[in-house]
Amino acid sequence: MKPAWRELEMTMTDRYPVLADFAAHSAYGKDRVDALRALHAQDAEAFWREQAGRLTWSKPFSRVKDVSFHKEDFRIKWFEDGELNVAVNCLDRHLPQHADKTAIIWESDDPETPSLRISYRQLHGRVCQLANALESLGVAKGDRVTIYLPMIPEAAVAMLACARIGAVHSVVFAGFSPHSIASRLEDSASKLIITASAGQRGGKWLALKAQVDEALKQRGTSSVQTVLVVRHGPTAPPMQMPRDRWFDEVVDPQPETHSPAPMNAEDPLFLLYTSGSTGKPKGVLHTTGGYLLQASFTHEAVFDLQPEDVYWCTADIGWITGHSYVLYGPLANASTTLMFEGVPSYPDYSRFWQVVDKHQVSIFYTAPTAIRALMREGEAP
């Protein structure tokens, strides 16, 4: 008896067949997928040992996994004696061949604002500058850094700089309230916050720095020593010196080189909190080696990534999909990823397709909720 999911798979395949000329150019054709599945079924550890070769390890691992789901002896460890650095895997190792390739295309909420194309060389330099700046402000390996930014390039720079020095980043969605920020600050005991003057969404400016100021008035946030503020928006917010510092004034003078911290594969990479819609937000800890391998492998395999692809995941950087499939997966694979600050309905419901045309996007990844919202507008957009 066939399981229900198999019946659904066959039905969907029959209803939406893959075109032969499309399949012919696939890097993950049927033969390769069948071979990968067979290897995984035969020896899952051998499969993941082979896949781990897609990453650069400063110290090779000897053991693939150490896992127990018994309550009295619960543990999940991957590549536990290996060492690597996520920023090195997303940037440094690509420079010999891809320094001038576009790493990030940034598209503003405002279609009249010029878009940006940031090369791997430029992104690497900026990440090194921020890494040096964070260390100069006393941030060390294991310290927590909260990132409360809109979908602007500095969000990617901030995450990668934290990974480079071994600080644990906690990205808070830029639509969350001061109370939501404060609860995450209290739980993580963050040492530093990176935010922006404001964020733009649907043609409106949202005062992000003001939200952080309100959050820092609440109980349990005294661990925060520094607030770095990116200049983004029509007005400059009030600054509370010496706590508050302008991002550019601290980062720009720093050198564009930095020695990355060697990280154990099981060292923490980031904290990401649940939304809090079903009780107090819970911080989910993601470690380094296994997470990056999964993001890199699935980004290439699921999307059938080709070297020339322009890839766009519409998720916000504040969610796990944004972490894995806007930033870490694409950059680990030396691909071009698009960051979009806006919404699909502004200035009209054609915006997604205008961006696709403008930047020649070849892989588009979005959410069912976005598709349903667009479907309401009919086929004209």
Side-chain angles (χ1 to χ4, degrees):
M1 182 175 177
K2 295 175 183 174
W5 65 266
R6 177 64 71 184
E7 293 177 3
L8 176 62
E9 182 184 75
M10 293 175 67
T11 302
M12 294 293 284
T13 303
D14 293 342
R15 188 179 301 171
Y16 304 110
V18 177
L19 299 178
D21 59 345
F22 181 89
H25 295 92
S26 172
Y28 281 82
K30 184 177 185 304
D31 290 346
R32 184 179 182 187
V33 170
D34 287 347
L36 288 170
R37 285 177 170 165
L39 174 59
H40 189 273
Q42 179 183 355
D43 189 341
E45 289 203 18
F47 173 88
W48 287 113
R49 184 180 296 277
E50 179 180 296
Q51 290 304 322
R54 68 193 300 116
L55 302 180
T56 296
W57 299 81
S58 55
K59 177 188 173 186
F61 60 88
S62 62
R63 187 174 189 178
V64 173
K65 68 175 183 176
D66 177 17
V67 174
S68 169
F69 293 109
H70 297 292
K71 187 176 181 180
E72 64 278 4
D73 184 28
F74 182 84
R75 65 187 183 278
I76 302 174
K77 298 179 180 180
W78 284 85
F79 318 114
E80 60 185 297
D81 59 346
E83 291 183 356
L84 73 168
N85 184 281
V86 168
V88 169
N89 274 275
C90 290
L91 298 173
D92 302 53
R93 66 177 180 149
H94 303 320
L95 295 182
Q97 292 184 314
H98 303 295
D100 296 321
K101 181 176 181 178
T102 299
I104 294 175
I105 299 171
W106 178 71
E107 179 70 23
S108 170
D109 177 74
D110 180 359
E112 300 301 318
T113 298
S115 54
L116 298 176
R117 299 181 75 91
I118 304 167
S119 71
Y120 274 91
R121 188 197 314 276
Q122 291 169 325
L123 184 58
H124 173 265
R126 196 59 168 167
V127 167
C128 287
Q129 284 184 305
L130 180 54
N132 286 315
L134 291 175
E135 289 180 334
S136 74
L137 293 168
V139 179
K141 180 178 177 179
D143 287 337
R144 276 74 63 204
V145 173
T146 293
I147 300 169
Y148 184 67
L149 286 169
M151 285 287 283
I152 56 177
E154 286 81 2
V157 171
M159 292 167 70
L160 289 163
C162 288
R164 193 170 190 89
I165 68 174
V168 181
H169 64 68
S170 168
V171 180
V172 179
F173 172 55
F176 278 170
S177 69
H179 174 75
S180 297
I181 302 168
S183 68
R184 288 158 174 79
L185 291 173
E186 180 180 15
D187 186 75
S188 64
S190 283
K191 194 171 190 176
L192 182 144
I193 301 174
I194 303 176
T195 189
S197 307
Q200 197 172 25
R201 192 171 178 85
K204 299 176 181 178
W205 285 100
L206 309 173
L208 301 186
K209 170 61 164 56
Q211 299 280 73
V212 170
D213 289 341
E214 285 300 313
L216 291 176
K217 294 176 183 177
Q218 299 185 29
R219 187 182 62 184
T221 61
S222 59
S223 61
V224 175
Q225 299 174 9
T226 308
V227 179
L228 286 182
V229 185
V230 177
R231 300 179 198 266
H232 187 63
T235 59
M239 300 286 280
Q240 181 179 316
M241 301 298 185
R243 185 196 70 185
D244 300 345
R245 308 280 296 276
W246 288 112
F247 184 94
D248 57 298
E249 292 180 1
V250 174
V251 176
D252 288 356
Q254 299 291 336
E256 294 186 4
T257 57
H258 176 271
S259 297
M263 303 297 292
N264 181 272
E266 278 296 314
D267 279 341
L269 176 61
F270 63 86
L271 275 168
L272 191 59
Y273 285 83
T274 57
S275 66
S277 56
T278 55
K280 185 179 179 179
K282 303 167 189 67
V284 181
L285 179 68
H286 294 257
T287 56
T288 299
Y291 168 79
L292 187 63
L293 177 58
Q294 180 76 356
S296 170
F297 173 69
T298 52
H299 176 252
E300 181 184 90
V302 172
F303 296 106
D304 191 31
L305 184 72
Q306 308 287 342
E308 68 278 5
D309 278 323
V310 175
Y311 164 86
W312 180 15
C313 170
T314 67
D316 190 279
I317 208 82
W319 309 115
I320 188 60
T321 305
H323 282 52
S324 301
Y325 298 119
V326 172
L327 188 68
Y328 288 125
L331 295 185
N333 291 331
S335 59
T336 298
T337 183
L338 191 146
M339 289 182 67
F340 176 50
E341 187 185 18
V343 295
S345 57
Y346 178 80
D348 58 55
Y349 282 90
S350 290
R351 187 67 193 280
F352 269 177
W353 323 126
Q354 291 163 1
V355 174
V356 166
D357 286 345
K358 179 178 180 180
H359 298 293
Q360 294 297 288
V361 172
S362 54
I363 301 175
F364 179 71
Y365 174 34
T366 194
T369 48
I371 295 295
R372 284 193 290 267
L374 295 173
M375 286 172 67
R376 288 199 302 264
E377 304 303 312
E379 295 184 3

